[in-house]
Amino acid sequence: MSAPVRIADAATVRLLRPGDRVDVVAAERAGPPRVVAAGARVAEVPAPEKGAGDAGALVVLTVPQDTARALVGAGAVARLAVTLC
């Protein structure tokens, strides 16, 4: 399943290429960071949005359906970051 995910640090997203594998980490104000998706494959890195400011950047990941749901939920309440695998 394809899951569009907004990553907080747009500069990090610019380092990604289709086929890369990443872990997605959710950082909330309360509690330690947690891995939401492990080893997700980067399917697409859309062109940067004009005027996005501090809104981060979008990346499309290929993940199982349950992981896609977890990513959507985490993105609604936490800042998301990626680490390259």
Side-chain angles (χ1 to χ4, degrees):
M1 165 168 264
S2 294
V5 179
R6 184 154 307 274
I7 303 302
D9 184 0
T12 300
V13 172
R14 288 194 298 270
L15 298 173
L16 302 177
R17 300 289 176 260
D20 286 348
R21 293 278 179 176
V22 296
D23 290 346
V24 180
V25 178
E28 299 178 51
R29 293 192 189 276
R34 63 186 170 92
V35 175
V36 182
R41 188 178 63 80
V42 175
E44 183 181 350
V45 182
E49 301 167 39
K50 294 183 184 195
D54 287 343
L58 196 63
V59 62
V60 180
L61 303 175
T62 301
V63 294
Q65 188 172 15
D66 290 344
T67 304
R69 284 189 206 115
L71 286 166
V72 170
V77 297
R79 292 177 53 91
L80 300 180
V82 292
T83 59
L84 287 164
C85 297

